[in-house]
């Protein structure tokens, strides 16, 4: 009998992509930053080939855009982008509800409640980065319960964009009460416990509608006009302290 599953090596391309993806999601690389391969090779200590492959992967995830004769840039989201992302997120989460309602086990409810409890601890400690990643983990768990490969893949394709927008919301309004996510998740979980699909779907529409509005307000404030924005792009600032996320101690 085999005691262990095989170890799957992570390619250098995927490691590089993860580093850049996290830098974008966490605000260390900002929208409209010029992404220069040479600087990335120096800071990550790898050759241009995995850098180039990783950037192509991130273009597919819509975190990086490539402008002819200008180069690659961190994506700037428009109001239409925000509306499209959150309407799709609502659709995917409600499809997941259709597939899994009434099928959650006591262990599933325990895991989901544990995510909410962990968020509460992270907020109390002022650890907003882990609180946000736990937020996404809560929703990913529900989507993954569906075991629907296309749904899971579609969710994965938008999750990094959503996470990047949540950072922009926090950057726009440092006083925003991110603890609302705890109430949101508890409302969703309680509806699942009651096997009330209509209520789950209503909560998903309510929450995503509110968050979309908050992110649109951030986009309007931070990027009032996206026309020609990549023509006046800032230089790449990977590792530049000025691009670091604000140290938020309040919610």
């Amino acid at each position: 009998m085999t005691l262990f599953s095989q170890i799957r090596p992570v390619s250098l391309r995927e490691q590089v992509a993860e580093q850049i993806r996290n830098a974008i999601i966490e605000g260390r690389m900002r929208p409209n930053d010029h992404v220069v391969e040479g600087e990335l090779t120096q800071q990550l200590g790898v050759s241009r080939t995995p850098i180039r492959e990783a950037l192509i992967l991130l273009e597919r995830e819509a975190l990086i855009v490539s402008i002819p004769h200008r180069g690659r840039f961190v994506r700037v989201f428009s109001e239409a982008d925000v509306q499209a992302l959150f309407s799709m997120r609502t659709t995917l989460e409600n499809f997941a509800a259709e597939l899994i309602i009434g099928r959650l086990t006591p262990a599933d409810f325990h895991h989901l409640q544990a995510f909410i409890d962990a968020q509460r601890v992270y907020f109390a400690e002022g650890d907003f980065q882990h609180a946000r990643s736990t937020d996404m983990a809560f929703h990913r768990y529900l989507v993954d319960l569906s075991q629907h490969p296309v749904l899971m893949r579609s969710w994965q394709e938008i999750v990094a964009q959503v996470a990047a927008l949540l950072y922009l919301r926090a950057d726009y309004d440092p006083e925003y009460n991110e603890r609302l996510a705890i109430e949101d998740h508890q409302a969703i979980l309680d509806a699942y416990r009651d096997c009330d699909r209509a209520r789950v779907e209503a909560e998903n529409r309510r929450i995503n509608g509110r968050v979309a509005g908050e992110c649109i307000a951030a986009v309007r404030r931070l990027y009032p006009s996206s026309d020609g924005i990549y023509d006046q792009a800032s230089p790449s600032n990977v590792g530049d302290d000025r691009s670091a996320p604000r140290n938020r101690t309040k919610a």
Side-chain angles (χ1 to χ4, degrees), residues 75-87 161 165 230:
R75 179 185 181 185
V76 176
F77 291 94
S78 68
E79 293 182 33
D81 293 331
V82 177
Q83 291 170 338
L85 277 169
F86 281 94
S87 63
Q161 297 173 68
L165 281 167
Y230 298 113

Side-chain angles (χ1 to χ4, degrees), residues 5 10 16-18 30 39 52 91 102 110 127 130 136 143 145 165 184-185 189-190 196 203 211 223 227 233 241:
S5 59
V10 178
V16 171
E18 182 178 8
R30 305 297 297 273
E39 294 184 13
R52 193 169 295 121
T91 299
H110 175 78
D127 188 346
H130 280 100
M136 303 310 292
V143 169
L145 282 177
L165 281 167
D184 293 340
H185 292 168
L189 182 56
D190 290 345
D196 190 336
E203 288 294 342
V211 176
Y223 307 100
D227 294 337
D241 286 341

Side-chain angles (χ1 to χ4, degrees), residues 165-173 176 178 211 214-215 218:
L165 281 167
L166 295 183
Y167 172 83
L168 287 180
R169 179 186 65 180
D171 194 39
Y172 157 69
D173 183 8
Y176 176 75
E178 294 198 48
V211 176
E214 294 161 353
C215 292

Side-chain angles (χ1 to χ4, degrees), residues 6-249:
Q6 290 187 339
I7 300 296
R8 298 193 324 172
V10 178
S11 71
L12 192 56
R13 178 195 69 173
E14 291 168 334
Q15 292 181 60
V16 171
E18 182 178 8
Q19 292 261 10
I20 300 172
R21 184 187 300 112
N22 288 341
I24 293 172
I25 290 172
E26 296 167 9
R28 288 177 280 122
M29 294 175 68
R30 305 297 297 273
N32 202 37
D33 279 349
H34 192 189
V35 181
V36 181
E37 288 183 13
E39 294 184 13
L40 290 171
T41 59
Q42 292 177 5
Q43 297 200 33
L44 294 173
V46 297
S47 69
R48 283 181 180 266
T49 298
I51 294 289
R52 193 169 295 121
E53 292 174 346
L55 292 177
I56 291 172
L57 180 62
L58 294 172
E59 281 186 55
R60 293 173 185 162
E61 295 179 11
L63 292 176
I64 298 286
V65 295
S66 181
I67 308 298
H69 311 299
R70 290 285 299 159
R72 291 187 174 95
F73 301 86
V74 178
R75 179 185 181 185
V76 176
F77 291 94
S78 68
E79 293 182 33
D81 293 331
V82 177
Q83 291 170 338
L85 277 169
F86 281 94
S87 63
M88 177 56 72
R89 180 181 179 181
T90 301
T91 299
L92 296 175
E93 290 177 343
N94 283 348
F95 182 37
E98 177 184 345
L99 296 175
I100 69 175
I101 197 76
R103 290 176 39 201
L104 279 71
T105 67
D108 292 326
F109 287 119
H110 175 78
H111 282 298
L112 289 163
Q113 188 65 56
F115 285 132
I116 297 172
D117 294 342
Q119 273 189 290
R120 190 173 286 108
V121 171
Y122 288 135
F123 282 132
E125 296 174 347
D127 188 346
F128 291 91
Q129 181 176 329
H130 280 100
R132 291 177 198 143
S133 63
T134 304
D135 182 330
M136 303 310 292
F138 174 90
H139 294 283
R140 183 182 291 108
Y141 189 94
L142 289 168
V143 169
D144 287 350
L145 282 177
S146 73
Q147 291 298 297
H148 189 294
V150 178
L151 170 58
M152 294 164 66
R153 184 166 64 250
S154 298
W155 167 262
Q156 191 60 36
E157 287 174 356
I158 70 167
V159 68
Q161 297 173 68
V162 170
L165 281 167
L166 295 183
Y167 172 83
L168 287 180
R169 179 186 65 180
D171 194 39
Y172 157 69
D173 183 8
E175 302 301 317
Y176 176 75
N177 183 10
E178 294 198 48
R179 288 186 176 86
L180 285 174
I182 295 174
E183 299 174 12
D184 293 340
H185 292 168
Q186 195 65 62
I188 292 171
L189 182 56
D190 290 345
Y192 270 110
R193 280 198 176 104
D194 293 340
C195 295
D196 190 336
R197 175 182 159 193
R199 205 164 101 224
V200 172
E201 293 176 349
E203 288 294 342
N204 285 333
R205 286 191 294 271
R206 176 186 68 81
I207 295 163
N208 283 313
R210 187 196 75 227
V211 176
E214 294 161 353
C215 292
I216 286 172
V219 167
R220 284 176 179 166
R221 176 69 179 272
L222 297 171
Y223 307 100
S225 175
S226 60
D227 294 337
I229 194 165
Y230 298 113
D231 294 329
Q232 300 176 354
S234 60
S236 174
N237 60 359
V238 182
D240 187 343
D241 286 341
R242 73 174 177 81
S243 66
R246 299 181 184 185
N247 180 19
R248 299 191 50 210
T249 57

